[in-house]
Amino acid sequence: RHDALLPRFLESLAFLETALTDALCERSSLDPATNPMQRITVAAVLNVSRSVLKWCAESGTPDALLPTLDRALDALEAGFGDVR
C-alpha cells in the first residue's frame, strides 16, 4: 500500500465522478444541483467497475474482466434482483 498516494487517488476519483456527472447532466438537460440521480448513477457505475477490476486482479482472471463487467452492469441496471 501507498498511503501517501491515497488523498491524490481520492481526489482523482472525485474529479472523474464530477466530470462524468456534468457530461451526463449536459446530455440530459438536468441540473445536478437539483437532481442527484445522475451523480448517483455515475457513482454506482464507477464503483461496480472498480469492484470488478479488483476481483479480476485478486482472482487472477484478467480474461474475465469484460464478461464480468457486462454481467455486473446488467445486474446494476436490473436493480441487483438476481446476482448469480
Side-chain angles (χ1 to χ4, degrees):
R1 288 195 42 162
H2 302 281
D3 292 336
L5 298 176
L6 184 58
R8 192 79 174 128
F9 175 70
L10 294 175
E11 181 182 322
S12 69
L13 286 179
F15 176 81
L16 178 60
E17 183 179 315
T18 298
L20 291 173
T21 298
D22 290 348
L24 188 57
C25 286
E26 186 176 311
R27 289 187 69 175
S28 62
S29 300
L30 295 171
D31 181 1
T34 59
N35 187 336
M37 293 313 296
Q38 283 66 33
R39 181 169 303 279
I40 292 167
T41 300
V42 167
V45 169
L46 288 175
N47 280 294
V48 164
S49 300
R50 180 195 52 76
S51 294
V52 169
L53 282 168
K54 186 174 183 342
W55 177 81
C56 286
E58 289 174 349
S59 67
T61 56
D63 292 342
L65 177 63
L66 292 180
T68 304
L69 185 57
D70 281 342
R71 280 193 358 250
L73 291 173
D74 287 345
L76 176 63
E77 183 179 23
F80 289 101
D82 182 10
V83 292
R84 283 184 260 152

